[in-house]
Amino acid sequence: MSPPPGEVYVLPLTDDGAPDVPGGYIYLPPPSTPPYSVRFVVEGTSSICREGSLWVNIPAAGEQFSRTKFREYKLRPDFNRAIEIDIPILQAGAFAFNTSYTPLPEFSISQSAIPSSTRTETFYIDVSPKLLLGKEILPLDALSIVSVVSKFMGKDYKKWDSHLAGLTQRGYNMVHFTPLQIRGESNSPYSIYDQLLFDNEHFPQGEQDVADMIKNMENKYRMLGLTDVVFNHTANNSKWLEEHPEAGYNVETAPWLQSALELDDALLQFGENLAEHGLPVEFKTVDDLTKVIQAMREKVINGIRLWEYYAVDIERDSKAVVEAYVAGNIKIPDDGFGTSEIGGLEKVKQWSLKQKADFLKEKGMLHGLRIDGRWSRQVDPAVGAALLTALLGRYSSDTKDNQVTETVNKILDELNLPFYREYDTDAAEIMQQVFDRVKYLRLDDHGPKLGPVTKANPFIETYFSRLPINETTRKHNSKALALANNGWIWAADAMKDNAGPDWRPYLRREVIVWSDCVKLRYGKGPEDNPFLWEHMSKYTQLMAKYFAGFRIDNCHSTPLHVAEYLLDQARLIRPNLAVFAELFTGSEETDYVFVKRLGLSALIREAMQAWNTGELSRLVHRHGGRPIGSFDIDVPTTSSPQLDHEIGDSRSKEIIHHIRQSPVHALFMDCTHDNEMPAQKRDARDTLPNAALVNMCACATGSVMGYDEVYPKLVEIVSEKRIYSSPYSTSEVRIGAGEGIGGIKRLLNQIHTMMGKDGYDETHIHHEGEYVTVHRVHPESRKGFFLIAHTAFPGYGNGNGGLTPVHLTGTKAKEIGAWSLEVDTSVEAKAKAEQNKEYITGLPARTKDLRNVKVESQGDDTTIQVPEAFPPGSIALFETWTPSAEHSEGLGKFLTSGAAEAFKELNLLDLNFVLYRCDAEERDSSSGRDGVYNIPVHGPLVYAGLQGWWSVLESIVRHNDLGHPLCNHLRDGQWALEFIVGRMVKLSQQYGYSKIEKPAQWLKARFDAVRTVPNFLLPRYFALIVQVAYNAAWQRALSLLSTNVQHGQKFLQSLAMVSVQQTGYVKSASLWPTKEVPSLAAGLPHFAVEWARCWGRDVFISLRGLFLCTGRFEEAKEHILAFGSVLKHGMIPNLLSSGNLPRYNSRDSPWFFLQNIQDFTKIVPDGIKILQEKVPRRFLPYDDTWFPHDDPRAYSTASTIEEIVQEVLQRHASGLSFREYNAGPNLDMQMKPEGFDVQVKVDWDTGIIFGGSQFNCGTWMDKMGESDKARSKGVPGTPRDGAAVEITGLLYSALKWVAELHASGKYKYNGVSAGDNTEVTFADWAARIKANFEKCYWVPLDPKEDIDEDVDPKIINRRGIYKDLYKSGKEYEDYQLRPNFPIAMAVAPELFTPQRALIALSKADSILRGPTGMATLDPSDLNYRPYYNNSEDSDNFATSKGRNYHQGPEWLWPTGFFLRALLKFDLMRRKTPEQRLESFQQITRRLKGCKEAIQASPWKGLTELTSKNGEYCADSVSVV
């Protein structure tokens, strides 16, 4: 038997090693059997592959996890495919990865420094724990948790059974216990006396009793255990602190706290002495408190001389500085006095007093600016002496001592000014904080109103716990015995240590302190506090031994490295540990940091924080799950049959998952043990709807003991002495109405757990007035539950709130039940509950059944209407299903099956229609009837085919954007389905397109299968069908392209698919006038049809890449033959016009044509045979006579391609001089009459061809001026007459090629006849060019070499380049730096001296190269205008009507030639494999912009040009 197909989660990495996952948060499911894998996918050309390694601390089989143990996977560059590394996931936890690599050095033609190895930041993979209850897996989203405060459960744990039985009956499956350890003197569960000892009142046998309790819970009551872990603090009376005061923050371990401790002492003393100071001890008004605070300034802040902690001691420091100055003991800071100019010391003498003081503050403080004690800020005497020396000169017998001392004192006085201002600010803050805190504690209505100041209730809480003086503590320094208490700070940075040295919240009294808890000081690692780390590790592992989950108390105050370490210790004991956290950072970004690094299962979120129905609805929406109808990103990828054997059978059967964007998961509590109860904060009746809304959420949910019982108020965990009572602990809990909400809660919890186990993860939440409705469904079966909740906030009264009838489209509903909660909240009822001295009891409360909820069906639709008697505190619950999706699990399989088979017979021309076709092409083939689809509000698609749809859907699916206009359009109707199917069916019925019938029928069958689903599901299924079809078509296309494309990287494949985009049948633009064949577009959408589609120059610039490199040899051959057939004047036409009206005005086209014939003979198997292919001639050979295509002479003769090549060479050798046929405004309304004259000749001294004039533009830079207003009409933007450098290179390449062919007997001609009938061999002609090329084109780097070249130094703008032209009509244009010389380099490298070539290429790289294209002109040129706007109608001669088309805008296609040239010449100097590898990496680095652009473009191609630095150009062709 073959092994089952493996599951793989694909994790692509970006070029900088970051996870390419939406949101960046990687959250994976629990480990499975067999284990699934994470597949790291790195593009083989990525920067991180340079001497790169992937480092992962995911443990291998049989290994124990260690956070610091990383496995190395080498990232070896691969320029053909992506690197894939599969790592099995064998356990849960927070795992880390990063990459190390050596950055690619900047390209340099000289020896450059090799960068040192670097490492990326660390990224995290969180794997969810697998919780087992017996043998049953309990997903996190299925958890129904209840919190209990252990001390309220009763003394002996064995008597807790009644409560546990009541909890399990209500459907809870996990119990959260507050800490079970011995409590400190405050009796708070969170003030732990000894972390390693369980409370012996509850657990007389200690650890064994806890083990028995947990076992009993799991086996008898089917509930898991969860406990708090408290990492931040310990009880203020923890005995072990006396032995280890270094575990806390004291003045010895944290000297910066000395001022805070002294202030705390003084405040406590001040509070005790209020009466002695004649101040009130009971504050009846704010004025009373204000008197005390004003006295506090004098008695406390001034009394302890607090300013001495801020200021420098002038007497001490002045004396020390003067002594150092006299002794010549000076020290100048590393960067001196901050001035490097000549005469710098003179500038110091001119400094103001403030500048001198600032110098000392910034560079001359001996211990920095931290406040560690009185007068701890101290000037470094040697630096102060250096400043004196700069000001007064070196000390000598002539120096006046009084002047020195006076100078120092003035500077120090100035230095103290900002320190005193700092003190004033802090003193004011101290007073304000004390005022606010005392006011809250003693005056505010919402505060505890503590009453008079007494010893038991002191004026202010102490910030420090003082250890008792005894035999143990006497061993320590007395400074170590006052330990900082823990607390929290409003809106504090969770990443900063509250008691650390970087800020002063303990001094400024900003901490809301817990006086019963000492803050623990961990330091940077175990070595800083060995006892504490060991002690807390034992505690953590003890908890992990028995509890399935942790709740990290006060996680936001826990140092991250501490929590990481302790959780690692816990997971060594229990790998599948669920970890929840109380985390209030105030920043979602910071939340993510904690979640990712700690592997938190969920963050605790509280429904009781909502202040109204709208806010409650928002919270439910946030934690409810994915929206109904969400998109499935795990669409099966269809490999074409031709590729399956390459992939391998096992790999092709893998189940591939794409990592979804994941929010931070929540443990959503209807109420926590820290929250006020609904009876306090809202209306007691809200207990029921609040609980129901929470339980409908697709996340772990929770409650607290007393919530279901409707306790009247928050149970105070410190001072409360009573124990729990619950009616559900003493009787059977049945589903339905009854006392409290227990019976309803049982149903809600059961439904919640079932939905969590089965994967009901789609929800729709609606808020209307006092109501919130929630519909939660299964994404496949479409079964679900629907809740109507009438919330109860103060002032809602008793009416039904006026809910609009609810319509469930395409959905059936069956009522499960409707209930309301009635609570007696009278003063008497509350008093009775609170007066019970032994038990905590709830308010009298009952749920009752509600009748007359109307559920009406019409077809598959349902309408629900609540009755008049549906007051606040009511809910109605329904079971739902979608009749049209009752077999949706099978539907999903059907929709994704059979695509490869349906598309397997299509050829590339079929696929051009199926995938692409822009609007103009579509209308051309339908005589104007059909175009691309127009999505309301969004706009037209770029293509009528599947790519047009997928370009829109790709982002929608990736980001689950159900609000996109396309989704709205699909919900409104099925027009899009009709369009896709109708278009395919219509074409399949046309001659030659019968193979499209199968994919047309496949699409029809799939769309028909979803036509009856509710409209809200249609976007999901539409996207699924389109994506499957698109994938199948894409794979089929790849299978028909060359093997290097099939197995190449995605970027290469995307480029290759441009050949499918651009090549197709167009009625108005065949290659021949009398037969219809597919033609290659010059660019979409502007050059798609008619005369504008097929350009000779464009075809043969791109033919090598689009046809030869992709294996489309027949298409290449057809284009060569077609253009060869219309040869005239020794030129191929620039505009083909299907051979009807070809135009001959491009001097470079024939040379690109010959280059491609040469490439064909070298790339295509037996390609040399093309030379003997016969071509019918549109015009007569060597005859310039024009006649129409239907003239009897047209196509009456034939030539071989060999003869056509020769005709090109011979006609140019003889010289060309003709006027274009039909010259005048009918041919070109912009050109002046002189521009229609075409002249070409050879200078036989150099062998170089010259041509053109200042009135035309015969190369690719062919923009003609068009503006009457700017007076540029008929004036070319770039005439480029003379000898264009690329034409010279292409000419040499052709001559060298035919000379070699002749020498080997494969070309019958030996040369040409020159104008004087002299015979010139090809070898001789080529030799003349080579001998003169650099003399004519090279602009020396060193002016001394000018004498050796043909240059005019007065005109040179930039050196170390090759001229763009030679002997043009405007000489300065010769010397312009443009991206044309790399074309010559790519085809004729022999013409260039390698070192010179690299110099010129380096300049083009730094000056011309943009993100995707090459600037068409040097930015330093006065004619540089990088922004092209063809519609500009201004009087600007340079830019009006887009005359600057080639005067700076960055064109794409020269980039290819540039990179080919750069690689070619760079490899010449590279000797070792490592050096040659660097050359390839330099090239791929320069493709980054193109890779990003083709991925981002809806056209899935690269734009013709951009403006400066890659900026968008609206007039550019979208894809070329």
Side-chain angles (χ1 to χ4, degrees), residues 351-384:
W351 276 358
S352 66
L353 195 59
K354 182 177 185 303
Q355 287 176 300
K356 298 168 189 174
D358 287 347
F359 167 77
L360 290 182
K361 182 180 177 183
E362 294 167 12
K363 302 176 182 180
M365 300 304 290
L366 193 60
H367 308 298
L369 296 176
R370 200 173 79 190
I371 297 175
D372 280 354
R374 291 184 187 276
W375 310 119
S376 60
R377 288 175 169 170
Q378 183 176 354
V379 173
D380 185 333
V383 176

Side-chain angles (χ1 to χ4, degrees), residues 1-5 649 653:
M1 286 180 62
S2 60
D649 185 62
K653 293 180 180 177

Side-chain angles (χ1 to χ4, degrees), residues 1101 1260-1261 1379-1380 1382-1383 1412-1416 1450-1460 1504:
I1101 284 174
W1260 74 275
M1261 292 182 167
N1380 294 308
I1383 303 170
T1412 58
M1414 302 291 289
T1416 40
E1450 295 167 6
W1451 279 69
L1452 173 74
W1453 73 266
T1455 300
F1457 283 96
F1458 167 75
L1459 294 177
R1460 286 172 61 191
E1504 170 194 33

Side-chain angles (χ1 to χ4, degrees), residues 153 157-166 216 220-221 729:
M153 292 284 282
Y157 84 93
K158 293 178 182 177
K159 296 181 180 179
W160 295 1
D161 273 28
S162 61
H163 288 314
L164 295 176
N216 185 50
K220 182 176 180 180
Y221 297 116
S729 300

Side-chain angles (χ1 to χ4, degrees), residues 682-880:
R682 300 180 186 168
D683 180 320
R685 295 175 295 173
D686 199 59
T687 302
L688 179 60
N690 184 62
L693 287 168
V694 167
N695 269 279
M696 287 295 289
C697 291
C699 63
T701 61
S703 189
V704 63
M705 186 73 171
Y707 183 88
D708 300 345
E709 294 82 359
V710 197
Y711 282 4
K713 65 177 184 178
L714 165 71
V715 181
E716 218 290 314
I717 63 172
V718 176
S719 58
E720 182 63 70
K721 299 291 192 293
R722 299 173 296 172
I723 62 174
Y724 290 133
S725 69
S726 171
Y728 316 118
S729 300
T730 55
S731 60
E732 182 181 354
V733 180
R734 295 183 178 180
I735 291 176
E739 188 173 356
I741 68 166
I744 313 302
K745 195 65 167 291
R746 175 176 179 173
L747 173 65
L748 294 170
N749 280 338
Q750 287 178 354
I751 291 175
H752 174 264
T753 297
M754 182 275 291
M755 290 194 292
K757 287 180 179 178
D758 293 348
Y760 288 60
D761 68 347
E762 292 187 3
T763 57
H764 176 72
I765 295 98
H766 174 68
H767 166 226
E768 181 182 330
E770 301 170 6
Y771 283 86
V772 180
T773 65
V774 182
H775 194 189
R776 183 171 165 189
V777 301
H778 191 280
E780 298 298 334
S781 71
R782 311 313 306 177
K783 294 178 180 177
F785 293 89
F786 182 71
L787 171 73
I788 297 175
H790 189 178
T791 62
F793 283 81
Y796 278 10
N798 294 304
N800 80 345
L803 178 67
T804 305
V806 178
H807 298 284
L808 300 178
T809 305
T811 303
K812 293 281 194 180
K814 177 184 177 183
E815 183 182 350
I816 297 173
W819 306 273
S820 66
L821 176 63
E822 296 179 346
V823 185
D824 182 356
T825 57
S826 64
V827 174
E828 294 79 11
K830 289 181 179 179
K832 183 178 179 181
E834 293 175 12
Q835 288 166 5
N836 192 315
K837 301 300 184 185
E838 188 175 357
Y839 296 105
I840 310 167
T841 61
L843 294 171
R846 292 193 65 82
T847 49
K848 74 173 190 175
D849 293 311
L850 294 177
R851 309 295 180 192
N852 302 321
V853 175
K854 291 183 180 179
V855 181
E856 297 177 344
S857 296
Q858 185 171 3
D860 288 343
D861 298 344
T862 301
T863 300
I864 301 173
Q865 187 169 0
V866 299
E868 189 64 32
F870 202 83
S874 301
I875 65 170
L877 189 63
F878 308 84
E879 185 178 0
T880 67

Side-chain angles (χ1 to χ4, degrees), residues 276-333:
E276 294 178 20
H277 297 311
L279 297 169
V281 295
E282 185 172 4
F283 310 131
K284 299 187 181 297
T285 65
V286 170
D287 287 343
D288 289 343
L289 178 57
T290 301
K291 290 177 186 175
V292 173
I293 296 300
Q294 289 171 345
M296 187 187 86
R297 174 71 189 239
E298 180 62 30
K299 302 293 184 182
V300 177
I301 297 176
N302 294 347
I304 63 172
R305 301 174 66 85
L306 185 61
W307 62 82
E308 293 180 353
Y309 285 93
Y310 292 80
V312 298
D313 185 333
I314 293 179
E315 183 178 346
R316 176 197 65 191
D317 289 9
S318 176
K319 181 180 178 182
V321 169
V322 170
E323 288 177 353
Y325 173 61
V326 171
N329 178 20
I330 66 173
K331 179 172 70 179
I332 300 175

Side-chain angles (χ1 to χ4, degrees), residues 142-199:
L143 291 177
S144 293
I145 303 172
V146 61
S147 297
V148 300
V149 179
S150 54
K151 68 177 185 176
F152 302 145
M153 292 284 282
K155 289 189 176 181
D156 191 338
Y157 84 93
K158 293 178 182 177
K159 296 181 180 179
W160 295 1
D161 273 28
S162 61
H163 288 314
L164 295 176
L167 294 173
T168 192
Q169 283 193 88
R170 279 178 274 161
Y172 294 108
N173 50 32
M174 179 177 267
V175 180
H176 159 228
F177 293 98
T178 56
L180 299 176
Q181 280 73 20
I182 297 175
R183 299 182 291 280
E185 64 183 10
S186 70
N187 202 32
S188 167
Y190 293 94
S191 178
I192 300 175
Y193 178 79
D194 192 323
Q195 287 73 14
L196 304 183
L197 295 177
F198 290 104
D199 188 341

Side-chain angles (χ1 to χ4, degrees), residues 1128-1440:
K1128 190 173 187 287
H1129 311 297
M1131 301 170 73
I1132 63 167
N1134 194 22
L1135 292 174
L1136 178 63
S1137 297
S1138 300
N1140 293 316
L1141 293 169
R1143 184 180 182 190
Y1144 300 87
N1145 67 332
S1146 58
R1147 291 181 286 113
D1148 54 356
S1149 295
W1151 305 111
F1152 283 112
F1153 174 65
L1154 293 194
Q1155 183 64 43
N1156 276 270
I1157 297 173
Q1158 178 186 165
D1159 291 341
F1160 190 97
T1161 65
K1162 295 178 178 180
I1163 294 173
V1164 178
D1166 294 324
I1168 195 69
K1169 292 180 179 179
I1170 196 174
L1171 294 178
Q1172 305 311 316
E1173 287 280 345
K1174 284 272 190 179
V1175 181
R1177 297 293 294 273
R1178 166 73 173 80
F1179 299 103
L1180 299 177
Y1182 294 93
D1183 187 335
D1184 291 349
T1185 304
W1186 174 274
F1187 42 79
H1189 78 276
D1190 54 358
D1191 187 282
R1193 291 169 289 179
Y1195 302 108
S1196 62
T1197 61
S1199 302
T1200 64
I1201 291 296
E1202 180 183 37
E1203 291 167 340
I1204 286 173
V1205 170
Q1206 183 64 20
E1207 186 173 342
V1208 172
L1209 294 169
Q1210 182 57 61
R1211 289 299 304 270
H1212 281 79
S1214 302
L1216 302 176
S1217 180
F1218 66 91
R1219 185 170 178 80
E1220 289 190 70
Y1221 171 74
N1222 197 30
N1226 289 334
L1227 180 62
D1228 190 330
M1229 62 186 299
Q1230 310 301 339
M1231 191 176 284
K1232 292 182 178 180
E1234 303 94 319
F1236 296 105
D1237 295 327
V1238 178
Q1239 307 287 336
V1240 178
K1241 66 176 182 178
V1242 178
D1243 173 9
W1244 288 109
D1245 290 336
T1246 61
I1248 294 172
I1249 288 180
F1250 292 81
S1253 73
Q1254 286 287 302
F1255 297 101
N1256 57 33
C1257 31
T1259 72
W1260 74 275
M1261 292 182 167
D1262 57 357
K1263 182 66 176 179
M1264 180 61 70
E1266 302 176 17
S1267 174
D1268 288 318
K1269 185 183 294 186
R1271 299 181 181 180
S1272 65
K1273 189 166 184 174
V1275 182
T1278 43
R1280 298 194 73 230
D1281 56 323
V1285 65
E1286 74 273 19
I1287 292 179
T1288 305
L1290 288 162
L1291 166 64
Y1292 177 83
S1293 175
L1295 293 171
K1296 183 170 177 286
W1297 168 57
V1298 293
E1300 292 170 351
L1301 287 179
H1302 178 75
S1304 62
K1306 297 176 182 177
Y1307 189 81
K1308 62 185 178 183
Y1309 304 100
N1310 183 39
V1312 294
S1313 175
D1316 57 359
N1317 293 321
T1318 304
E1319 296 295 320
V1320 180
T1321 66
F1322 297 129
D1324 181 30
W1325 192 357
R1328 295 185 195 190
I1329 295 172
K1330 185 174 182 180
N1332 290 281
F1333 180 82
E1334 291 211 324
K1335 182 177 181 61
C1336 297
Y1337 286 98
W1338 174 245
V1339 181
L1341 203 58
D1342 187 346
K1344 294 177 183 177
E1345 298 176 8
D1346 287 354
I1347 194 171
D1348 299 325
E1349 317 297 348
D1350 189 355
V1351 296
D1352 183 347
K1354 298 190 299 296
I1355 302 177
I1356 294 173
N1357 176 50
R1358 192 182 293 279
R1359 290 183 172 275
I1361 65 169
Y1362 286 92
K1363 296 176 189 174
D1364 186 57
L1365 305 165
Y1366 183 53
K1367 294 188 176 180
S1368 68
K1370 292 194 287 286
E1371 189 178 3
Y1372 76 86
E1373 292 181 346
D1374 289 11
Y1375 295 87
Q1376 289 177 319
L1377 175 61
R1378 295 185 185 271
N1380 294 308
F1381 71 86
I1383 303 170
M1385 287 182 173
V1387 299
E1390 301 88 350
L1391 294 178
F1392 299 82
T1393 302
Q1395 181 60 24
R1396 288 177 173 180
L1398 278 175
I1399 292 171
L1401 287 166
S1402 178
K1403 288 187 180 295
D1405 186 52
S1406 60
I1407 297 166
L1408 300 182
R1409 184 174 60 83
T1412 58
M1414 302 291 289
T1416 40
L1417 184 61
D1418 186 338
S1420 71
D1421 195 292
L1422 294 177
N1423 291 294
Y1424 177 71
R1425 302 290 190 280
Y1427 295 95
Y1428 171 61
N1429 179 359
N1430 195 50
S1431 61
E1432 176 193 329
D1433 189 15
S1434 70
D1435 59 2
N1436 188 312
F1437 182 80
T1439 61
S1440 184

